Amino acid sequence: MSISLLGGFDIVVGDEPVTVPVGSKRLLAFIALQYRAAVPRTLVAGSLWPEATEQGANTNLRSALSRLQDLGKQALNICPAEVRLAREAEVDLFRARSLAQRIIDSHVPAEEPDLNAAAVDQLSADLLPGWYDEWMLPEAEQWRQLRLHALEALTEAFIDTKEFAWAVTAAHAAVQADPLRESSQASLIRAHLAEDNRSEALYDFERYEQQLSDELGLRPTPRLRRLVSELQRSRPGGGSP
């Protein structure tokens, strides 16, 4: 049984996708984010329906549980006082989180079998994009920060092992997640320079410089400008950045 929260919600039991009503989908996602923890039914109801009265929220919870089809109910252990994720259910967020933490904390070499383009894919998706429930926004931001750091670390590891295509792919994923984040832009520029693609490095820097000025009225830091200063001076009419 697999529950997907990255890139959107999905649940598969065996090889069979499970259709879940909207209210029940929010319930499953909330419980999946708690992973193995048992959650009091009152907390589930109050979190999912914060504007309802306590009685109304509990009624909504019972309704969401009853609308789950048999396959959907297999994802949960439902008790009178609490709800928890079924032991056999796997959640993609926690696999991806474990991968990201391993990349950041353990400095695993990029030669490891699972550190490749597939690893970049796991780290490239937002948590439940398009969902704006208060209970998931802190989780979404925490995941965004973790995966950005992991993608940047993965970029540097790929540069070290001369896997330049994967380095550029990982850096692009980080830039796409946060175009104004300078450390991600620096990773992308270093990946281009490592591959001797100087024009692409300069293009990406100047695009970022313009975007940063237009949106925030800021300039890139001296540290980032130094990465491309030699390229800028080498152009006809080039001077100090």
Side-chain angles (χ1 to χ4, degrees):
M1 183 184 305
S2 176
I3 297 177
S4 297
L5 303 178
L6 300 179
F9 181 88
D10 195 20
I11 178 170
V12 176
V13 177
D15 294 325
E16 184 174 349
V18 179
T19 300
V20 180
V22 173
S24 302
K25 187 180 296 186
R26 292 173 65 246
L27 167 63
L28 284 172
F30 181 84
I31 298 299
L33 281 174
Q34 316 310 314
Y35 205 38
R36 302 305 182 197
V39 189
R41 291 176 71 128
T42 53
L43 176 59
V44 179
S47 299
L48 294 179
W49 295 279
E51 297 180 358
T53 64
E54 182 178 351
Q55 181 178 354
N58 288 326
T59 299
N60 289 339
L61 174 58
R62 288 193 296 271
S63 177
L65 288 169
S66 67
R67 287 198 301 269
L68 279 174
Q69 298 176 358
D70 289 340
L71 288 176
K73 286 182 179 178
Q74 291 180 28
L76 300 176
N77 287 332
I78 304 169
C79 301
E82 62 189 29
V83 183
R84 70 190 309 160
L85 195 66
R87 186 174 300 276
E88 61 271 22
E90 296 294 332
V91 181
D92 63 348
L93 170 65
F94 296 94
R95 290 194 302 271
R97 189 179 284 175
S98 176
L99 171 66
Q101 290 168 341
R102 188 159 62 90
I103 291 169
I104 294 170
D105 297 337
S106 301
H107 307 291
V108 177
E111 295 94 333
E112 286 289 311
D114 61 344
L115 297 190
N116 50 33
V120 176
D121 287 342
Q122 286 190 66
L123 300 171
S124 294
D126 287 326
L127 175 64
L128 296 172
W131 291 39
Y132 300 103
D133 303 78
E134 289 188 9
W135 50 266
M136 60 79 55
L137 291 177
E139 295 280 353
E141 177 58 19
Q142 182 184 43
W143 166 242
R144 190 182 73 89
Q145 289 291 334
L146 178 62
R147 74 184 183 90
L148 284 170
H149 282 95
L151 285 166
E152 291 168 5
L154 199 54
T155 299
E156 301 304 323
F158 287 147
I159 290 173
D160 289 343
T161 56
K162 303 187 185 307
E163 299 283 357
F164 299 124
W166 289 351
V168 170
T169 299
H172 267 302
V175 167
Q176 186 175 13
D178 189 346
L180 296 177
R181 182 182 172 96
E182 183 165 308
S183 55
S184 296
Q185 296 284 348
S187 292
L188 179 58
I189 290 168
R190 281 194 293 270
H192 286 317
L193 291 173
E195 202 174 11
D196 289 330
N197 287 327
R198 295 181 297 167
S199 62
E200 293 185 42
L202 190 56
Y203 170 80
D204 281 328
F205 170 80
E206 292 179 343
R207 175 187 47 76
Y208 172 65
E209 183 180 40
Q210 186 64 53
Q211 186 176 11
L212 194 63
S213 175
D214 291 344
E215 297 191 24
L216 298 178
L218 298 175
R219 292 191 67 199
T221 63
R223 182 178 180 180
L224 183 62
R225 295 201 301 272
R226 282 195 294 270
L227 279 178
V228 296
S229 60
E230 183 178 345
L231 299 179
Q232 291 178 317
R233 287 194 296 267
S234 68
R235 291 191 305 184
S240 299

